[in-house]
Amino acid sequence: MTSDPVDPYIFTSDSLPSDPRFMPPLVNGLLGWRVFDSIMHMSEVYNGEGGTCHRGNIPCPLAVQVKTAEVGRHTYKLDMHTGIFSHTVVTPRFEATQVLYAHRQQSNLLVTEVLLKRFETSAEPITIQLESSFKPQSDDIDFQNAADYKGGRHIFGQTVSSEIPGGIRPSVHLIWMPIASTLTLPPDQSQSSWVFLVALAGSDGSAKSCFDTGLGLVDTGDLRPSHLRSWAELWKGSSIEVMGDKTLNRALIGCMFYLLSSFPSSIEESNGSFVFGGISPGGLSNGSKDEDYLGHVFWDQDTWMFPSVALFYPSLARAVLEYRVGTVEGAQANAQQMGYKGLKFAWESAGTGRDVCPEEIYAQQEVHINGDVVLAFQQYFYLTKDLEMFTEGRGSEVVWGVADYWVSRVTWDLTDQQYHIKGVIPPDEYYFTVDNSVFTNAVAQSSLQFAVELCGLLAQTAPPEWQDVADKIKIPFDPELKYHPEFDGYTQGSRVKQADVVLLGYPLTLPMTPEVRRNDLETYEAVTDPLGPAMTWGMFALGWLELGEAEKAQKLLQKCFKNIQKPFQVWSESADGSGCVNFLTGMGGFLQALLFGYTGFRVQKDHLAFAPLLPLDIDALSVRGVSYLGNKMDWCVKSAEVSVSVRKSGNKEPFALELVLNTGATIPLIPGESVTFPRQPGQIRRVNPGFYSPV
């Protein structure tokens, strides 16, 4: 295995992974495909009813590999600058390169290009084979043949069964340029290239329109350039890099690449009727029957993936909120089925929002999902002050519906005069049917408080029971041992699966003393399963950074490297390579550990707090494109000083910002100018707060 010694965004190898699960995924928010795989997926295309619901396998015409009769040197390269995977074969006589990408701008298109180039003139043609595993059929979709369209083959069909009885069966239309089994470079040509398009959409008209668009881009020579421009724009607005640790830096870049790939384009120019169906733990390239959580959407999306992307691109992250709004009807049905009011978001969600978890106990008891969803809405609002998302965008329905659920879900305990939430599964899934999971109760309290706040912003009167439950809900705490028990009856020292109580400090920012925060970290770090999910150690590392112990945090971050599978930085859920692959949840936790840990960023109601701290082996941290109240900021953190600059904006006038240091100094942040100050905590805030306006 080799990798580019200069460019940390390029990952190369002379061989492919022995386990095909670790082939790199090419994803654009609508389509997902694992390189060379015979199947691909499209957002919101699920087959199977209830707990059998899984991503519908769609045959991929680009499942072809270049083969040569001559022995050659093979190079496989994933360029994360551009979202392009390539396979190059160099022989004594010629070079053959196959390029693959999921088009970033035209989300309904997958593309492969082949380039043949001879090294010397010859009277002999050069022929390569294209070995295909494509078969135009699927166990999940009843495909039928349609008439060819402008030289492209066309099949269409609906999934075999709907997600809920009597529900809609998603349709798929697939048009592709047929790929010959051989390609030949004539003797009189030094080089030649071929382009093959695949267009997917949910209707005949959309698929043909997308195919037409692709053909037009081929004719104008703008097919790949338009894709490259979209990726360049994406990276221009968001990057996090460290100096001093090349392995860590490449891990960060890999996480950012795969997470950004999972979100739809910021300027959606696709001709298809684009539907963003949320993000599953393994992303769009995975989730077939019996694998990778079936492609379902969990709290992973809202808690683990959303925060990092929202800090750079609130406009992209808003797609997560819109996905939840789109499942409100299903969430209402879930609550009613369980005998509660308001909304109960599915523990495992697909297209309708009805719970499709194969095991009913999780659907019934893992209710913290409701608070996780609202926390994402809250973070988005604090970053943007975008009230339109909560009015026309219907975000208020989500927040208030969840508040109604919590009020109907709690029970009043006469003994301790507090509200209890009984019979739940906490984030630590080693325990079932427990009472007063501390994380569940704390996230419920947080979402109730935000519901009351949102009423004030929208000139509505909050039901008094929302505040009453928020004020009086039980938050388990042991005053003698000065730590938070995971739930009522938890015995200190009992093994736990994953990050749970440590999430009280971040992302919930539950008020506690440094002593209690330390006790929570020490208590649960010692008993956390070493083979638990990958996002866990990032949260412990973030907690130690809060307490100023950067070296302890760094040791915990090192554990995450075991989950990164070479050569293409694909994460596995567990350190031994098992579990869900392309585990975006783990990547999200790792990113947050550095993005919110090294900087100390905390998204608060009226400011963005920071408290920078770097480990000794990190020379500097560069975070470019931080979004706050319509502004884009670039940060550079070093051991002794911090630099911040606000980019000049385009047409839209953002809120004016100022930087307030803990020493008391206030520094205006003027677009286009950089400010440098000694490393210390502080906050970014509006210059003239007092009213809210969409940004």
Side-chain angles (χ1 to χ4, degrees):
M1 197 278 289
T2 59
S3 60
D4 193 293
V6 177
D7 193 333
Y9 285 76
I10 295 177
F11 296 83
T12 62
S13 176
D14 55 14
S15 63
L16 293 173
S18 57
D19 187 338
R21 298 184 311 138
F22 301 130
M23 293 289 286
L26 299 177
V27 184
N28 62 15
L30 175 65
L31 306 178
W33 177 52
R34 208 157 51 203
V35 165
F36 298 139
D37 201 354
S38 61
I39 61 102
M40 57 185 170
H41 298 125
M42 186 163 73
S43 179
E44 292 226 312
V45 175
Y46 291 93
N47 181 47
E49 185 178 313
T52 67
C53 168
H54 59 276
R55 290 202 189 280
N57 286 346
I58 302 169
C60 184
L62 302 188
V64 296
Q65 293 194 54
V66 170
K67 303 291 181 180
T68 61
E70 298 181 30
V71 175
R73 185 178 74 251
H74 294 256
T75 302
Y76 303 92
K77 180 172 73 173
L78 178 63
D79 186 340
M80 293 186 179
H81 286 296
T82 62
I84 288 178
F85 180 86
S86 62
H87 170 209
T88 300
V89 186
V90 178
T91 75
R93 292 196 306 135
F94 65 88
E95 177 182 279
T97 298
Q98 180 185 13
V99 166
L100 302 157
Y101 53 98
H103 205 286
R104 181 67 201 171
Q105 185 187 79
Q106 302 297 331
S107 302
N108 297 74
L109 298 180
L110 289 179
V111 183
T112 189
E113 303 174 18
V114 180
L115 173 66
L116 259 178
K117 181 168 63 176
R118 67 171 76 243
F119 294 135
E120 56 187 32
T121 57
S122 170
E124 297 295 323
I126 294 173
T127 298
I128 61 171
Q129 288 75 44
L130 295 180
E131 189 176 278
S132 175
S133 60
F134 168 63
K135 294 180 180 178
Q137 59 193 44
S138 169
D139 291 335
D140 294 316
I141 300 167
D142 286 326
F143 277 117
Q144 304 174 47
N145 292 320
D148 288 359
Y149 181 73
K150 295 186 178 181
R153 302 283 191 268
H154 183 187
I155 59 175
F156 69 97
Q158 288 180 289
T159 57
V160 175
S161 60
S162 59
E163 184 181 323
I164 58 175
I168 295 173
R169 292 185 293 134
S171 296
V172 175
H173 282 255
L174 173 62
I175 304 176
W176 74 96
M177 293 178 175
I179 301 177
S181 59
T182 61
L183 296 175
T184 298
L185 180 64
D188 58 343
Q189 291 186 16
S190 62
Q191 66 179 42
S192 188
S193 62
W194 296 261
V195 177
F196 302 98
L197 288 176
V198 174
L200 280 89
S203 69
D204 179 86
S206 290
K208 289 176 178 176
S209 178
C210 294
F211 194 68
D212 287 342
T213 298
L215 292 176
L217 291 170
V218 172
D219 289 342
T220 60
D222 200 33
L223 183 64
R224 198 195 304 187
S226 59
H227 168 80
L228 298 179
R229 287 195 301 272
S230 290
W231 265 109
E233 190 66 24
L234 201 58
W235 282 120
K236 180 182 176 182
S238 57
S239 71
I240 172 171
E241 299 183 27
V242 296
M243 282 61 80
D245 188 328
K246 293 180 180 179
T247 301
L248 178 59
N249 192 44
R250 291 171 75 81
L252 281 172
I253 290 168
C255 291
M256 278 293 292
F257 170 74
Y258 286 123
L259 272 177
L260 288 174
S261 296
S262 300
F263 283 79
S265 176
S266 55
I267 303 175
E268 185 53 56
E269 298 179 14
S270 167
N271 290 323
S273 52
F274 184 89
V275 178
F276 177 67
I279 308 176
S280 58
L284 256 175
S285 61
N286 300 307
S288 299
K289 187 176 182 180
D290 300 326
E291 69 166 30
D292 302 313
Y293 297 111
L294 309 178
H296 297 166
V297 178
F298 293 72
W299 75 310
D300 306 46
Q301 168 190 256
D302 312 84
T303 300
W304 300 102
M305 306 172 202
F306 174 89
S308 296
V309 174
L311 191 63
F312 290 112
Y313 278 117
S315 60
L316 291 188
R318 178 170 166 154
V320 165
L321 311 186
E322 291 170 347
Y323 168 75
R324 291 300 187 184
V325 169
T327 63
V328 158
E329 185 176 336
Q332 187 176 38
N334 295 335
Q336 290 174 349
Q337 185 178 351
M338 296 178 188
Y340 300 111
K341 297 180 180 178
L343 305 177
K344 164 60 175 69
F345 284 94
W347 177 241
E348 297 190 30
S349 180
T352 67
R354 297 297 295 266
D355 210 307
V356 290
C357 181
E359 298 182 61
E360 187 175 350
I361 190 169
Y362 292 99
Q364 294 281 344
Q365 294 192 7
E366 204 134 9
V367 299
H368 65 81
I369 178 66
N370 261 12
D372 307 326
V373 168
V374 171
L375 184 61
F377 278 81
Q378 181 179 344
Q379 290 173 331
Y380 172 82
F381 179 69
Y382 288 171
L383 281 169
T384 65
K385 297 298 189 248
D386 175 14
L387 273 178
E388 187 274 335
M389 178 64 228
F390 295 86
T391 52
E392 288 87 344
R394 299 173 55 202
S396 59
E397 293 180 38
V398 170
V399 177
W400 295 340
V402 168
D404 284 337
Y405 171 84
W406 289 127
V407 169
S408 70
R409 184 65 173 78
V410 299
T411 58
W412 178 251
D413 187 86
L414 292 173
T415 302
D416 62 12
Q417 294 289 293
Q418 290 180 308
Y419 288 104
H420 291 195
I421 300 180
K422 297 182 176 182
V424 303
I425 298 174
D428 171 16
E429 293 171 322
Y430 284 167
Y431 300 93
F432 297 77
T433 321
V434 303
D435 296 341
N436 294 315
S437 150
V438 68
F439 177 83
T440 302
N441 288 21
V443 81
Q445 180 184 62
S446 173
S447 55
L448 284 162
Q449 290 168 339
F450 183 59
V452 173
E453 178 187 343
L454 186 61
C455 281
L457 295 172
L458 297 179
Q460 301 292 317
T461 301
E465 56 266 28
W466 291 358
Q467 189 65 58
D468 186 56
V469 173
D471 290 341
K472 299 173 184 175
I473 195 168
K474 180 178 182 179
I475 306 296
F477 181 71
D478 188 319
E480 294 184 2
L481 297 177
K482 295 184 179 179
Y483 90 113
H484 292 96
E486 193 174 274
F487 49 82
D488 284 356
Y490 174 80
T491 302
Q492 196 172 39
S494 299
R495 189 176 69 148
V496 303
K497 176 184 177 182
Q498 64 187 61
D500 185 311
V501 175
V502 296
L503 301 177
L504 298 179
Y506 173 90
L508 294 189
T509 63
L510 185 76
M512 68 182 79
T513 65
E515 179 186 14
V516 171
R517 181 70 159 138
R518 177 181 296 275
N519 290 344
D520 284 348
L521 289 166
E522 290 179 341
T523 295
Y524 294 103
E525 182 183 327
V527 296
T528 296
D529 189 335
L531 292 179
M535 66 282 193
T536 290
W537 301 116
M539 291 301 100
F540 280 102
L542 195 152
W544 288 116
L545 285 163
E546 271 186 9
L547 296 176
E549 299 203 25
E551 304 313 311
K552 184 175 287 190
Q554 202 70 348
K555 288 180 181 178
L556 290 169
L557 282 175
Q558 297 295 322
K559 293 187 177 186
C560 297
F561 292 142
K562 296 178 182 178
N563 298 77
I564 304 174
Q565 307 300 324
K566 295 180 179 180
F568 302 118
Q569 302 288 297
V570 174
W571 280 56
S572 59
E573 183 174 9
S574 299
D576 61 0
S578 64
C580 183
V581 294
N582 194 38
F583 192 50
L584 296 169
T585 310
M587 298 185 207
F590 184 76
L591 260 182
Q592 288 186 65
L594 280 85
L595 185 56
F596 292 87
Y598 284 179
T599 63
F601 285 150
R602 296 293 183 273
V603 181
Q604 304 290 348
K605 179 178 178 179
D606 56 3
H607 65 272
L608 176 65
F610 59 86
L613 179 65
L614 297 180
L616 294 175
D617 59 346
I618 302 299
D619 299 325
L621 168 72
S622 171
V623 183
R624 296 181 55 80
V626 174
S627 290
Y628 186 59
L629 301 184
N631 294 273
K632 276 282 193 181
M633 296 183 287
D634 298 328
W635 290 68
C636 182
V637 178
K638 297 181 179 179
S639 60
E641 66 180 25
V642 179
S643 297
V644 183
S645 62
V646 175
R647 299 181 187 180
K648 290 185 177 180
S649 63
N651 297 327
K652 188 174 287 187
E653 193 67 28
F655 290 121
L657 301 178
E658 61 186 8
L659 188 151
V660 182
L661 299 175
N662 275 18
T663 57
T666 299
I667 306 170
L669 293 175
I670 300 171
E673 298 183 9
S674 180
V675 170
T676 301
F677 54 91
R679 183 180 61 82
Q680 60 184 290
Q683 58 183 247
I684 304 290
R685 69 186 188 192
R686 284 179 58 188
V687 171
N688 295 308
F691 69 94
Y692 294 117
S693 173
V695 176

